[in-house]
Amino acid sequence: MKLSMWILADWLKDYHPTANIPGNEFAIESVRLFSNEPPSNDHTVYIGRLSDLFYTGSDQVICTHHNDILILETTDLEEVLNCVLNALERYQGWGTRMLELLASNAMLQELFDTTSSLLPEPIFLMDVSQRFLAHMPLFARGEVDPVWDDMVAFGSPDIDFLVTVNQAFPERFAKRELYVLEAGLFPHRCYNQNFFFQDKWVGTAVQIERTPGTSRGCLDTFSLFCGFLQRWFDIHIQEEQSVLLDYLLLSVITDPDTSQEELVRLLQLQGWRETDSLVFLKLDTPFQPFSLNQHLCRSLNLQFGFLYAIQAELSLCVLANLQRCPLAELLDRLGPWLRSNRCYGIQGRLFTMRDSLYDQYQYAVLTSQYCGQEPGRLYCGDEFALPYMLKRLQGNLLPQIIHPALARLQAYDQEHHAEFYPTLKAYLQNERSLVRTADALGLHRNSLLYRVRRLEELVEADLTDPMVRLHILLSYELAP
């Protein structure tokens, strides 16, 4: 276990140290008294008197490590040496015990329990769904703040509080270094350390500052503790099937070159069959990514045993098994959840694991660009397949493709102040039904009949031919 000078400063606080610590490396693992020989060990803190270094120095005790210095208000060299030895012994024993717990697949709470005497601060660990995983056992409800109370009692803060915080600090989940969130939205200032697995955020440790003035040594000890927590994630996430399934599903739906064989195997281990009817849902929410979306994924996975939800970029990707819950029942059961969480989404096409999951999810992604955003609604992707096709066509369109009848009608309308251009569109959209077309345009049937006869002369095309009608209707959709 390698300590920093700020940690030693905390252990020596009774001697009122004056600190000059520009480097503060986590490198100290032994202690020696000054000697005439120059220091040769980068991992040793040296203890002596000011007079050992300066001709005009006093008998005050000084501790040095490289350029880091602590000057103590004492002349008792032996007492200081014993204090530093006690610190090294205490941290070494703690480090050894933490490694033993990690090697024996200990629960997270055991790591917190073992650290509570060394770091007696209100600290908790939350996962990607922003739920409690473990906390320091020294603090019960009513001893820290209301947020702590909610975490201890319910395993998560209030959902409205989460929404507010996530909207205010959406960038915090990408931070790699120790960072601070000031009091404001939070009752107290807090220090945070994120954890990542394969560049994916998997959790955050939070140390709450109950009283102002957390020492640098305390924060350095918190950083050492977080190092053990990161090891726990590295060990256990690789063994956690649900997280591995999350990773595989995300890889398959975002990279067309990723094999889905391992994903299919894991789904089959969960009882899904290769021939089961499946469907992708792409759900969206107005809240920030990396925050509430993870909470919603957890909620879906807990409430509905026939689906699997993950976060995919800014959306929720839901893979549902329709053999376990038919589509009509799925839509009926999911509706209240969507409304209560203010989500909307789109339903892709039915498929099996023999099909390309990448293609199926991309179909939902592409068609979702054209659906509405009404909270509580689950749209059908097939309703927006044609708008997607037309949009792609517009990007590669030659003007000559547009049926010439449209240009003739526009020119005629402009010259004669007529309305044959919209009339032809409504007539074809209503499958040449005079009754429905008259209703759509608000015309008397006789007036429409006159227009239709004149249209047939102006368009110079056979409107009885279905391919001609299709060409004209597509031209209306594609025309600038």
Side-chain angles (χ1 to χ4, degrees):
M1 175 63 66
K2 296 178 181 179
L3 308 186
S4 70
M5 282 291 277
W6 283 117
I7 291 177
L8 294 183
D10 273 6
W11 277 72
L12 297 167
K13 64 182 179 181
D14 290 342
Y15 305 109
H16 310 291
T18 299
N20 180 16
I21 307 178
N24 195 45
E25 303 171 75
F26 285 86
I28 300 170
E29 55 187 2
S30 63
V31 58
R32 290 182 62 180
L33 295 174
F34 280 136
S35 66
N36 293 328
E37 297 295 326
S40 60
N41 191 331
D42 289 339
H43 303 297
T44 299
V45 61
Y46 290 87
I47 299 177
R49 304 183 187 279
L50 279 172
S51 57
D52 294 332
L53 294 179
F54 307 103
Y55 292 115
T56 58
S58 67
D59 285 340
Q60 280 182 271
V61 176
I62 181 173
C63 303
T64 69
H65 176 256
H66 292 175
N67 294 322
D68 296 339
I69 295 174
L70 295 175
I71 300 176
L72 309 178
E73 293 183 7
T74 181
T75 60
D76 194 332
L77 196 64
E78 182 178 347
E79 193 173 86
V80 172
L81 177 62
N82 286 334
C83 186
V84 173
L85 285 170
N86 288 339
L88 292 171
E89 182 181 353
R90 176 70 179 86
Y91 275 85
Q92 185 60 46
W94 171 63
T96 300
R97 178 57 182 155
M98 294 291 274
L99 292 175
E100 290 173 352
L101 290 172
L102 290 170
S104 62
N105 291 318
M107 300 293 290
L108 267 172
Q109 189 58 50
E110 293 183 72
L111 301 183
F112 277 75
D113 294 344
T114 301
T115 306
S116 60
S117 61
L118 190 65
L119 194 58
E121 300 294 335
I123 300 172
F124 64 87
L125 180 67
M126 63 180 185
D127 63 11
V128 290
S129 62
Q130 298 182 65
R131 295 188 67 85
F132 233 2
L133 291 179
H135 68 290
M136 286 300 181
L138 304 177
F139 304 93
R141 294 184 65 185
E143 295 184 353
V144 182
D145 58 42
V147 177
W148 178 272
D149 290 348
D150 284 345
M151 294 286 275
V152 172
F154 309 113
S156 175
D158 177 75
I159 186 66
D160 292 331
F161 174 78
L162 272 181
V163 171
T164 302
V165 172
N166 292 336
Q167 289 178 333
F169 307 107
E171 74 287 349
R172 73 186 191 278
F173 299 103
K175 293 182 179 294
R176 300 274 177 167
E177 70 284 352
L178 186 72
Y179 62 96
V180 181
L181 292 179
E182 300 290 349
L185 288 176
F186 300 93
H188 296 99
R189 191 184 201 206
C190 58
Y191 300 89
N192 303 263
Q193 180 66 57
N194 292 329
F195 304 102
F196 297 86
F197 177 71
Q198 295 180 339
D199 287 328
K200 179 181 178 181
W201 175 65
V202 293
T204 299
V206 180
Q207 177 173 303
I208 298 171
E209 186 178 69
R210 288 185 300 160
T211 57
T214 301
S215 70
R216 288 285 302 275
C218 179
L219 293 180
D220 281 359
T221 300
F222 178 58
S223 294
L224 290 175
F225 179 48
C226 289
F228 290 114
L229 297 181
Q230 180 65 63
R231 293 191 191 188
W232 188 92
F233 278 111
D234 291 343
I235 293 169
H236 287 269
I237 284 184
Q238 294 180 72
E239 300 173 352
E240 185 65 41
Q241 187 179 30
S242 64
V243 176
L244 181 58
L245 184 59
D246 181 307
Y247 172 75
L248 289 174
L249 179 55
L250 184 63
S251 299
V252 165
I253 65 173
T254 55
D255 184 357
D257 296 326
T258 298
S259 170
Q260 62 188 51
E261 181 179 350
E262 182 63 17
L263 173 63
V264 169
R265 187 186 70 84
L266 290 180
L267 289 172
Q268 289 175 328
L269 288 175
Q270 295 192 2
W272 293 31
R273 296 174 300 181
E274 192 175 13
T275 55
D276 283 352
S277 182
L278 311 177
V279 68
F280 271 121
L281 309 178
K282 178 181 177 290
L283 306 182
D284 288 287
T285 167
F287 307 121
Q288 297 291 344
F290 305 112
S291 52
L292 189 63
N293 279 359
Q294 290 288 356
H295 192 86
L296 295 177
C297 282
R298 182 181 179 90
S299 173
L300 283 168
N301 289 325
L302 288 175
Q303 291 186 44
F304 306 101
F306 49 83
L307 56 76
Y308 191 78
I310 64 169
Q311 180 173 311
E313 295 184 344
L314 307 185
S315 302
L316 275 66
C317 165
V318 180
L319 178 61
N321 190 319
L322 302 183
Q323 298 302 127
R324 299 187 174 190
C325 181
L327 182 60
E329 182 182 345
L330 166 67
L331 301 180
D332 184 60
R333 292 178 60 180
L334 202 56
W337 187 94
L338 291 170
R339 289 189 292 273
S340 65
N341 290 285
R342 291 168 285 178
C343 292
Y344 66 91
I346 197 159
Q347 164 209 326
R349 286 180 170 162
L350 275 59
F351 65 98
T352 72
M353 283 187 269
R354 294 172 178 171
D355 300 313
S356 166
L357 272 70
Y358 173 83
D359 291 342
Q360 295 297 329
Y361 185 67
Q362 291 306 308
Y363 174 81
V365 170
L366 295 171
T367 54
S368 70
Q369 301 172 30
Y370 304 93
C371 75
Q373 298 184 1
E374 180 183 344
R377 270 296 291 278
L378 189 61
Y379 301 89
C380 178
D382 286 345
E383 298 176 22
F384 309 100
L386 182 58
Y388 166 70
M389 292 172 60
L390 295 175
K391 186 69 175 179
R392 293 295 300 270
L393 283 173
Q394 284 179 330
N396 301 280
L397 186 66
L398 292 173
Q400 294 85 348
I401 292 177
I402 301 298
H403 197 285
L406 272 63
R408 285 197 294 271
L409 293 179
Q410 285 178 315
Y412 185 89
D413 286 351
Q414 185 174 4
E415 181 178 353
H416 297 89
H417 305 288
E419 295 182 347
F420 287 101
Y421 184 90
T423 299
L424 177 59
K425 183 178 182 181
Y427 183 56
L428 296 180
Q429 285 178 332
N430 287 280
E431 298 178 335
R432 295 183 297 158
S433 167
L434 294 176
V435 175
R436 293 202 303 270
T437 305
D439 288 342
L441 295 174
L443 294 175
H444 189 275
R445 185 176 182 278
N446 291 337
S447 299
L448 176 62
L449 187 58
Y450 163 76
R451 285 195 192 181
V452 169
R453 289 172 179 169
R454 184 69 178 126
L455 272 173
E456 292 173 346
E457 298 173 359
L458 292 172
V459 298
E460 299 179 9
D462 182 9
L463 297 182
T464 65
D465 187 334
M467 296 306 294
V468 172
R469 296 198 302 273
L470 177 61
H471 186 187
I472 295 175
L473 278 172
L474 286 174
S475 295
Y476 270 105
E477 297 295 335
L478 296 170

